[in-house]
Amino acid sequence: MERKVITSHIFPPIPVRCFDWCAWFDDLGADCSPYGYGRTEEEAIEDLLENFGDED
């Protein structure tokens, strides 16, 4: 079963655009899940899955 990933366009007020999108695992919730960040929604999901995708 594949985990559901939630994303949010946070667009922080900083000049660096590498953190515009945030992704986390829905089953863990936003408060407990690790996060992935990226310039785009796809980059944030990729970052999350590359770094934390195999953890249960």
Side-chain angles (χ1 to χ4, degrees), residues 9 16-21 37-44:
H9 187 222
V16 178
R17 300 282 46 111
C18 297
F19 305 101
D20 282 0
W21 283 89
Y37 293 95
R39 291 180 186 269
T40 65
E41 185 176 28
E42 292 79 21
E43 284 182 14

Side-chain angles (χ1 to χ4, degrees), residues 13-32:
I14 59 176
V16 178
R17 300 282 46 111
C18 297
F19 305 101
D20 282 0
W21 283 89
C22 178
W24 65 90
F25 294 117
D26 186 43
D27 62 325
L28 296 176
D31 293 334
C32 297

Side-chain angles (χ1 to χ4, degrees), residues 5-8 10 18-25 33-38 40-41 43-49 51-52:
V5 174
I6 304 296
T7 59
S8 178
I10 53 177
C18 297
F19 305 101
D20 282 0
W21 283 89
C22 178
W24 65 90
F25 294 117
S33 177
Y35 290 95
Y37 293 95
T40 65
E41 185 176 28
E43 284 182 14
I45 293 169
E46 184 178 320
D47 182 50
L48 174 67
L49 296 177
N51 292 305
F52 305 103

